[in-house]
Amino acid sequence: IRLNVPGWERELGYAAEAARTLGIGLELETVGCEDNGQLKALIRSFAENQIPLEALFAFSSSEYVSNRDIISTLITLRDEAKLTFRIGGGTRGYFAEFNRAELPID
């Protein structure tokens, strides 16, 4: 899901409907997580629409590895919404990028 592209809510709705039909939980990768307003809208959408989310992997638009601030913000927002999905990260690039990166492992 690209949060910085109009229509991401529709894409999320399609994915959620497919997951419900199949009886599975979603694992989503989101890009464009720099804006806290967009992150709040995303979490609100998960809560209000009872989206069957298992895990969320979040990235900024300008980086190929997870950003500690974005992950921390998402954890806070998730907990405030009383949701329980996992939040993770890593790289959205090639394995070589992962090896070069200094990831927020903690």
Side-chain angles (χ1 to χ4, degrees):
I1 302 291
R2 294 189 175 278
L3 297 178
N4 54 356
V5 174
W8 67 263
E9 298 93 341
R10 187 174 349 103
E11 285 186 47
L12 179 59
Y14 294 151
E17 186 59 33
R20 285 187 197 101
T21 299
L22 295 170
I24 60 172
L26 291 174
E27 289 190 0
L28 293 177
E29 179 179 303
T30 57
V31 178
C33 298
E34 298 86 353
D35 182 338
N36 282 354
Q38 288 176 321
L39 293 179
K40 288 177 183 177
L42 179 66
I43 298 298
R44 187 173 45 252
S45 183
F46 293 150
E48 290 175 357
N49 298 303
Q50 299 179 340
I51 292 175
L53 185 65
E54 295 290 327
L56 178 67
F57 304 94
F59 301 94
S60 78
S61 299
S62 61
E63 298 174 317
Y64 284 92
V65 295
S66 297
N67 176 296
R68 182 182 311 270
D69 293 335
I70 291 171
I71 299 293
S72 295
T73 299
L74 279 170
I75 289 170
T76 300
L77 292 172
R78 177 205 57 196
D79 293 348
E80 288 173 354
K82 297 184 177 22
L83 298 172
T84 59
F85 59 87
R86 297 173 311 210
I87 295 175
T91 182
R92 62 186 181 100
Y94 298 104
F95 189 71
E97 296 297 328
F98 183 75
N99 283 329
R100 290 184 197 120
E102 184 175 324
L103 299 175
I105 301 298
D106 58 334

